[in-house]
Amino acid sequence: MDTLDPARLAEAEAWRARDLAVVWHPCTQMKEHPGTLPLVPIRRGRGAWLEGVDGRRYLDAVSSWWTNLFGHGEPRIAAAIAAQAHELEHVIYAGFSHAPGLALAEALVAKAPAGLERVFYGDNGSAAVEIALKMSFHSHANRGDAGRTRFIAIGNGYHGETLGALSMADIPLYRRVYAPLLLEPLFAPSPDAWEAEPGESAEACALRRAGELEALFAANEGQVCALILEPLVQCAGGMRMYHPAYLRRAREICDAHGAHLIADEIAVGFGRTGTLFACEQAGISPDFLCLSKGLTGGFLPMSAVLTTAAVYDAFLDDSRERAFLHSHSYTGNPLGCAAALASLAIFDSDDVLARNRGTAARMAELAAPLAQHPQVGEVRQTGMILAFELVANRRTRRPYPAADRRGLRAYRHAIERGVVLRPLGDILYWMPPYCVGEEELAHLSAVTASAIEEACRP
């Protein structure tokens, strides 16, 4: 690494001290700062890179929590936000409309799976999930089916941190402490191919678990509002991946039992899995499609819930109580809508999905040698998402003790070498911006290899 300017190093250290005096960071045990976990002050971002206050550069291998699609500072999105800011920064969306909100809704409906005809805006991914849960329950109630008060969620799933969204999660680290406050969904076993029996294919595993899902619906006949799931990849659950056959059967099972299907594509939408929406790979349309993160290309917080005419029509009545009385102050924010429209336009102009297919293939090539490491239990990939599962014993897949914090070792090693390789427990993953190039991927592969060695040393 190049010699750094002492003045900038001092500036970064002063920044850390100021930050830790007043800021509470997300998903962080703050006692670990500044010792165990390095705090990295960032000055700017360009393309796939972040530049620290101290002058160091970091390859953003996780797309800044899976939000950034086309690179930091993408000029077309930045210009769209700037232009919109000079026209209309915000207006109440109840009883009012504006051009970017309307245009975005039309664009999303045009690109979404068939049958999704209405768009409701929210502020973030968790809000989108809350909206879908409430809409599902309320629409059943409005149609006279008030006995549907339960949801089915998938084991190892994650849907956000607000109480309703967190209720649908099955990751103890996030859920356990808040359990007394949460809804109690029914959990169906995950179709995750990692859980396949010896000799069982990913598709056979998915179909077996779909059979268990169907049994759960049957045992709770008439009580279930909706099934909520993350299509193809359970991201926060360790980038666990499953076969599209599960989605096809889930759609059929929901239809057979009169329940909605909620597809949480907050992390996997907008090209991450190889198609614009992951549901496309199963040839299905959900009743609710939850979108956020990449919706604005990673520039601004915003979410959208797409739903069907049947759900929308269930709320049309002279009674205000039958209306969907849910709102966020910044619903339909024009700046967020402008960013999202610019992001969608890039998909049209740049043939993003074709480029992603080439990048994903190169990622697979670079990861293949790492699959032979004795402490890598599996390398798995869906589109532009690739994960390495570190294990203590490759043959038995026995995990390392959680207290070892092998993933943290890998993270610290990678950060020191200019790569943001934030782990999920002992799972390392690549989810880079779509602009990532050959040299950057080669650097990512080399640093990952050395990070795995560091993480797995005795």
Side-chain angles (χ1 to χ4, degrees):
M1 186 174 289
D2 295 336
T3 302
L4 297 172
D5 181 351
R8 296 188 67 174
L9 289 172
E11 181 185 359
E13 193 56 41
W15 186 303
R16 291 186 187 95
R18 288 174 56 201
D19 183 292
L20 295 175
V22 293
V23 178
W24 193 341
H25 289 270
C27 205
T28 300
Q29 172 47 265
M30 292 299 295
K31 192 173 182 180
E32 295 182 337
H33 287 315
T36 305
L37 191 65
L39 183 67
V40 184
I42 296 298
R43 183 187 303 276
R44 65 172 59 89
R46 290 293 182 271
W49 293 89
L50 299 166
E51 181 186 323
V53 170
D54 61 8
R56 292 185 173 96
R57 296 175 74 235
Y58 302 91
L59 181 62
D60 189 358
V62 301
S63 293
S64 290
W65 252 340
W66 324 335
T67 62
N68 193 284
L69 298 187
F70 307 113
H72 297 281
E74 213 297 328
R76 288 167 288 185
I77 301 177
I81 294 170
Q84 183 59 47
H86 286 288
E87 293 296 321
L88 175 66
E89 79 297 338
H90 188 61
V91 64
I92 181 175
Y93 213 53
F96 292 81
S97 179
H98 51 70
L102 173 57
L104 177 58
E106 291 174 336
L108 289 173
V109 166
K111 292 180 179 294
L116 296 170
E117 301 178 4
R118 294 285 176 169
V119 179
F120 194 100
Y121 294 122
D123 290 357
N124 55 63
S126 295
V129 170
E130 300 279 352
I131 289 163
L133 296 175
K134 289 175 67 177
M135 274 188 181
S136 176
F137 163 76
H138 199 166
S139 65
H140 284 299
N142 280 353
R143 293 189 182 280
D145 202 355
R148 293 185 181 270
T149 59
R150 304 295 301 275
F151 293 93
I152 294 180
I154 305 300
N156 195 52
Y158 174 88
H159 301 282
E161 299 289 354
T162 52
L163 289 178
L166 186 60
S167 295
M168 302 299 122
D170 184 43
I171 302 176
L173 177 64
Y174 300 108
R175 181 186 177 89
R176 186 186 301 113
V177 69
Y178 303 108
L181 306 179
L182 303 180
L183 302 173
E184 295 185 4
L186 304 162
F187 285 108
S190 172
D192 169 20
W194 174 261
E195 302 294 337
E197 296 175 350
E200 185 179 41
S201 69
E203 182 175 11
C205 177
L207 292 173
R208 173 169 57 84
R209 287 294 167 82
E212 296 175 70
L213 173 66
E214 187 167 26
L216 188 58
F217 265 99
N220 296 273
E221 191 63 54
Q223 300 178 46
V224 178
C225 295
L227 165 67
I228 182 169
L229 49 70
E230 302 158 273
L232 301 187
V233 185
Q234 294 183 300
C235 292
M239 299 298 169
R240 295 291 177 85
M241 303 174 184
Y242 62 90
H243 194 278
Y246 187 85
L247 293 177
R248 289 192 286 271
R249 285 293 297 128
R251 176 71 277 179
E252 294 166 356
I253 292 165
C254 287
D255 289 343
H257 293 273
H260 294 136
L261 176 60
I262 301 172
D264 174 354
E265 294 219 18
I266 291 162
V268 299
F270 299 107
R272 288 288 181 196
T273 66
T275 47
L276 190 63
F277 302 110
C279 285
E280 295 175 37
Q281 296 183 40
I284 65 151
S285 294
D287 300 287
F288 297 91
L289 180 65
C290 298
L291 303 172
S292 190
K293 291 190 182 290
L295 173 62
T296 65
F299 272 67
L300 290 169
M302 187 179 189
S303 64
V305 178
L306 279 64
T307 192
T308 64
V311 170
Y312 176 80
D313 289 346
F315 291 86
L316 299 182
D317 190 81
D318 292 333
S319 167
R320 188 162 175 79
E321 285 72 22
R322 290 171 64 91
F324 189 58
L325 302 180
H326 182 105
S327 63
H328 298 268
S329 299
Y330 283 91
T331 294
N333 175 254
L335 301 176
C337 292
L341 283 166
S343 180
L344 290 178
I346 292 172
F347 278 99
D348 294 333
S349 64
D350 291 11
D351 200 3
V352 173
L353 297 179
R355 174 188 166 92
N356 283 5
R357 285 192 290 272
T359 304
R362 183 57 179 147
M363 289 166 62
E365 292 172 356
L366 291 167
L370 303 182
Q372 308 308 313
H373 191 283
Q375 263 61 61
V376 174
E378 182 180 59
V379 173
R380 49 184 175 267
Q381 183 177 12
T382 299
M384 291 278 291
I385 306 172
L386 190 148
F388 306 87
E389 181 115 13
L390 305 186
V391 294
N393 186 298
R394 181 186 176 96
R395 182 181 60 82
T396 64
R397 291 184 166 182
R398 175 172 57 85
Y400 284 107
D404 284 4
R405 305 196 68 182
R406 303 285 176 151
L408 178 60
R409 284 195 201 176
Y411 173 74
R412 289 175 59 94
H413 178 90
I415 274 287
E416 290 168 0
R417 286 152 184 81
V419 173
V420 182
L421 198 65
R422 185 180 174 92
L424 294 160
D426 289 341
I427 297 158
L428 309 181
Y429 66 92
W430 299 345
M431 197 190 291
Y434 303 159
C435 64
V436 68
E438 172 62 30
E439 290 185 10
E440 293 158 336
L441 287 173
H443 179 56
L444 173 58
S445 175
V447 171
T448 302
S450 62
I452 290 173
E453 290 292 340
E454 171 63 21
C456 298
R457 63 176 175 77

